[in-house]
Amino acid sequence: MTNIWFASHNTHKIQELQTLIHPLGWNIKGIEEAGIIDEIEETGLTLQENALIKAKFAYDRLNKPCISDDSGLEVSALGGRPGVHSARFAGLPPDSEKNIKLLLSTMKGQENRKAQFRTVICMIINNTAYYFEGSIQGDITSEARGVGGFGYDSIFMPEGHQQTFAEMTIEQKNNMSHRSRAVGCWLDFLKENGGFLNP
Amino acid sequence: MNNISDWNSIRSHQLFQRFFFDEVLFLASDPDPRQLETSTSVGAYAQSSTPVDAPAQSPSSNSTSIFEEKVVVLLPESPTETQQVLLNKITAACGLAQDQTNMHIGIFGQEDIPQFLGARLILSFGALTNIVPDHQVHSDGIKYIPCLPLGRLETDANAKKILWNSLKSSILA
């Protein structure tokens, strides 16, 4: 069974991907298992760039198939911000509550509430990088609602729905989320090209 | 790291004579492996010995420079076998060895270019019209050459000429 190394220290993400990819004959392993414990600096200017930086960081050290992801909230009225800076919009260390407060105050009085969540996955195999993207459009609510989810989930209401991500069950959210859509594209690609990609 | 002026200066007149020679072969419908071998052996674009994970050196951005001296090829989707042969011929005719090239497959916009900081040249195969803009030199010194899609280049001799002229003019510039 071929291993794909995930450039993340988030064990929850690793397990989630492992469940999805295992039936296809691939294994997801976190880079910590290969002894890489360094924090990867996410200095990119775009989601794609950050995903690439992380995947390449792992690939350069392992020379084996590697994958990474990066996600962000892009608000139309703010020209796509906070985007790549979503996790640290209100500064470091990352604090979701502060981020939400800052975003809501920035959006106060703003009629255009359109926004999208976007995830980019980067996979590097045989010196070739493949990108997979998932997004979901919606609106920024005027106040936080719901207790589920994380990040900006409590102020993001997907198009055609009356609940924020934080008011939905995990299953409801996962059925439509930007991340699950990106993962879906990646899995479709592996199903079609897995044989070719096996090193 | 070689900058663009170094890069230009190492191109010899001989290399450009080769370009015209290659053009004839390039426009031929059957790939000629001998031509590919000859082209990949050209060493005019010597690789820097700087490690790819060296610290950021870009003066205009705080983004990490992760493609020192590499040539980046952007494609909207995986090439077919024949498109891969065509792509190899294009890069080889430019004097580029395959190990100097990083291929990136996905949808790319102009705003995505910063991620290729440190690359010396970007060939982006995805322009949708006949009107292919001239090459651009970004503030980071990266040469960005928009190219028509490989699928179109496979079958359209005129599209090949457009690409070829674009490559010649951008490398001469």
Side-chain angles (χ1 to χ4, degrees), chain B residues 22-32 86 89 160:
Chain B
D22 283 339
E23 180 172 15
V24 178
L25 290 173
F26 173 57
L27 291 171
S29 54
D30 292 323
D32 181 347
L86 176 60
K89 291 192 77 171
K160 285 181 189 175

Side-chain angles (χ1 to χ4, degrees), chain A residues 43-46 48-49 52-53 56 60-61 127-131 189, chain B residues 52 63-64 66-67 78 101-105 107-108 111-112 114-115:
Chain A
T43 52
L45 304 178
T46 64
Q48 263 190 338
E49 188 175 359
L52 173 63
I53 286 170
K56 194 166 187 304
D60 285 347
R61 283 153 184 79
N127 222 30
T128 299
Y130 299 83
Y131 300 86
F189 179 82
Chain B
V52 291
S63 190
T64 308
I66 52 177
F67 285 101
S78 298
T101 304
N102 283 143
M103 193 150 67
H104 293 257
I105 297 168
I107 303 297
F108 302 94
E111 71 278 12
D112 297 318
Q115 74 183 298

Side-chain angles (χ1 to χ4, degrees), chain A residues 24-44:
Chain A
L24 302 179
W26 296 62
N27 248 335
I28 284 284
K29 282 180 177 277
I31 53 173
E32 275 186 18
E33 280 194 57
I36 301 174
I37 53 170
D38 316 66
E39 283 298 323
I40 306 170
E41 271 194 78
E42 298 183 23
T43 52

Side-chain angles (χ1 to χ4, degrees), chain B:
Chain B
M1 169 175 161
N2 293 332
N3 59 31
I4 291 295
S5 57
D6 293 335
W7 184 43
N8 282 330
S9 68
I10 59 175
R11 285 175 185 73
S12 64
H13 180 65
Q14 211 173 17
L15 182 63
F16 282 99
Q17 283 183 322
R18 256 181 41 75
F19 265 65
F20 289 99
F21 174 68
D22 283 339
E23 180 172 15
V24 178
L25 290 173
F26 173 57
L27 291 171
S29 54
D30 292 323
D32 181 347
R34 286 170 305 170
Q35 185 260 333
L36 189 60
E37 277 174 25
T38 309
S39 297
T40 50
S41 68
V42 172
Y45 298 74
Q47 233 180 313
S48 161
S49 60
T50 312
V52 291
D53 53 346
Q57 293 179 9
S58 166
S60 60
S61 163
N62 61 359
S63 190
T64 308
S65 182
I66 52 177
F67 285 101
E68 303 267 344
E69 292 300 290
K70 288 279 185 181
V71 175
V72 167
V73 174
L74 307 183
L75 296 168
E77 55 191 21
S78 298
T80 62
E81 278 182 36
T82 51
Q83 286 173 356
Q84 182 64 59
V85 171
L86 176 60
L87 185 61
N88 289 345
K89 291 192 77 171
I90 293 168
T91 52
C94 293
L96 306 171
Q98 280 184 37
D99 63 358
Q100 291 175 276
T101 304
N102 283 143
M103 193 150 67
H104 293 257
I105 297 168
I107 303 297
F108 302 94
Q110 273 291 300
E111 71 278 12
D112 297 318
I113 298 308
Q115 74 183 298
F116 302 110
L117 280 173
R120 66 170 186 245
L121 173 68
I122 298 173
L123 300 175
S124 178
F125 292 86
L128 298 174
T129 69
N130 272 321
I131 306 163
V132 181
D134 287 341
H135 79 278
Q136 298 148 32
V137 179
H138 284 251
S139 54
D140 312 280
I142 303 169
K143 273 197 175 184
Y144 172 79
I145 303 179
C147 311
L148 289 162
L150 280 175
R152 173 96 178 271
L153 292 166
E154 261 184 311
T155 54
D156 185 341
N158 193 44
K160 285 181 189 175
K161 281 181 187 167
I162 291 172
L163 169 65
W164 202 241
N165 288 332
S166 177
L167 287 174
K168 279 193 295 189
S169 66
S170 61
I171 290 171
L172 279 167

Side-chain angles (χ1 to χ4, degrees), chain A residues 106-175:
Chain A
T106 310
M107 291 289 286
K108 202 168 183 179
Q110 180 60 251
E111 281 183 20
N112 177 8
R113 314 290 297 185
K114 296 287 175 204
Q116 71 170 358
F117 267 126
R118 196 159 63 92
T119 291
V120 174
I121 290 174
C122 176
M123 176 174 68
I124 305 183
I125 292 183
N126 298 332
N127 222 30
T128 299
Y130 299 83
Y131 300 86
F132 308 92
E133 189 174 315
S135 63
I136 181 163
Q137 282 72 45
D139 290 294
I140 301 297
T141 54
S142 54
E143 58 183 7
R145 295 184 347 220
V147 293
F150 56 90
Y152 296 91
D153 283 359
S154 62
I155 59 169
F156 182 81
M157 189 165 64
E159 219 167 66
H161 293 264
Q162 296 304 314
Q163 293 175 303
T164 65
F165 266 166
E167 292 175 307
M168 295 180 177
T169 64
I170 291 174
E171 290 74 23
Q172 276 178 307
K173 181 192 163 188
N174 284 348
N175 277 339

